[in-house]
Amino acid sequence: MALDPAFLDELRARTPIAPVIGRRTKLVRSGKNWKGCCPFHGEKTPSFYVYDDHYHCFGCQAHGDVITFVMESEGRTFIEAVEELATAAGMEVPKPDRAQRARAEEARTLGEVLEAVQASWQRRLYQPEGREGLAYLRGRGLTDETIAAFGLGWSGEGRGGLVAEMAEHDITPAMLLEAGVMRADEDGTPRRELFYNRVTFPIRDRRGRLVSFGGRILGDGQPKYLNGPETPIFSKRRVLFGLDRAREGVRGTGAGAELLVVEGYMDVIALHQAGFHGAVAPLGTALTAEQLEALWQVGPAPVLCFDGDAAGQRAAVKAAQTALPLLNVERTLRFCVLPEGEDPDSLVRRDGSAAMAALVEGARPMGQVLFGLLSEGVRNPGPEQRAALRRRLVEVAALIPDKALAAEYRSTLLDSFFETFRRGGGKGAARPAIATAPVAMVDADLQRQCILTAIILEQPVVMGEVQDAYCRLELPADIAALREELLDLYDAQGALPPAEDLAASLSATGLDDVCQRVRAVRGRRGRGRDEDDLFGTDPRREWWHFYALLNVGRFAAEIRGDTERMCAGELDEAAWLSLRTRLLALDALRRGGEDVDE
């Protein structure tokens, strides 16, 4: 029966988990937490940890809360475990109301309908009409034991045979429609079977209850794979194919006990047959937040194994983006990259389970692969592309709600960004010197690049407004390295430190020489009386002035685009203030006689 979530939350709050688990295995303090030998598998070295509200075994991957522990350790149902804990806590389990009882009865009835259909289809697979389906499954390398274990079947030709057979069990077409195995006309009348001429795959929820079917057509029909529709007991967003088996399969150790997420029914079944008992798959859709939550209830770090093609790459990116807002320090994802053109089923059949085990054991943490996923296809980017990618990396890291974890991801992503797209080698590498000839002999654009950088060193507060434009500039290698350090500091702290602290930080990273040289160029150039009149004490307007001088036409075009967005109401107050500053800089250029496109 369904229970009020508020009641369950209060029950967990009133029931400290460590004493409950301590009745089964000896626990000792480990910092703020507890540890001991796992009660679910034999071990001599403790790998079972108990936290404030859950437990986790790093040996067999057992994981759950206090209710789960009572269920798993005592073999009780959910309700039995709740009742036992409620009695100990002095709480009374609430009785279900009439609506709850009606929903429970409906679910029981639909489940019974589906089980009757399953028995029919499973039997048909071994009759003459199912010969083609059985040959297909055996041709995919499945043994009769595996076919039986997963309850695979054959739906028949869809000419009324199922309706007639179910009538003998007092199951009506309306009940078949409600259970999701028949289609309805426009007026809602059940007319024909949904699955026909298909190999059928029973879909069960995490407790092993039959909730729907999937089917694969043989031949050229479309769609190749078909899932049952949404029903009162089935939601594609919440169910993972094979999760009922995977919950038990991840109890052991090694690659075979990893919780693996693959793409299709046959991948799951082939992997189980090959000894990978933790394999599951979403139901023809991208991995959802609800499915991720279900996975993390089984294990803290599932391995995503997507096909080695473009579609698999897109699926991996989508899964990562879905997972980011849900991550915390105790749950994450790992990624297993399959060879291009391969899926788990074909890999196991061709190269054996050892090849798959090697890939699983080499699965990489999400933090290591996220940069590669997000930068896929970026080759030799220009300043605009680098700026856009860098902004995307920062925005992606900000999706993580845990601030400390978000900061770690941001740092990791930006380190990868600078390592991959750095010009002039890594930090601390030898850098070409800026020309030290008299100012008249220094290239005008180089002067402006030095001045822009020097203004940021003198007035670090400017960085918040100009960082995107600064990132787009093509700079000499040594100034580019300084820029990368400045951007790194800005992203790590959300702002640059005051000028003195910034100078000390840059000096500690070996950038003192380049800082002195850009300041020297700015100092040699000096500042005329006219510029004092133009800029006053506003370093932002001065920065935009020299930025514009590098490419007046581009600067005017950028302002024109932002002005259009402002008129459309797309700019916030901060963006408007920045636009106003740039408009003043543009006006100064016009008064100075620069050729500016009106």
Side-chain angles (χ1 to χ4, degrees), residues 466-480:
V466 306
Q467 59 167 321
D468 286 342
Y470 189 43
C471 192
R472 288 195 293 269
L473 294 178
E474 287 280 7
L475 300 176
D478 52 354
I479 304 181

Side-chain angles (χ1 to χ4, degrees), residues 31 45 83 146 157 172 270 307 316 361 371 379 387 408 440 450 509-510 568:
T45 302
E83 289 175 343
T146 298
E157 296 183 353
T172 66
D307 295 353
E361 289 172 356
F371 175 78
R379 299 289 184 271
E408 290 296 327
C450 291
T509 58

Side-chain angles (χ1 to χ4, degrees), residues 187-207:
D187 61 359
T189 303
R191 284 299 183 192
R192 55 193 179 90
E193 297 175 22
L194 177 63
F195 299 93
Y196 57 90
N197 287 334
R198 290 180 182 268
V199 172
T200 58
F201 302 83
I203 299 172
R204 298 184 180 275
D205 66 12
R206 59 178 297 161
R207 298 184 189 178

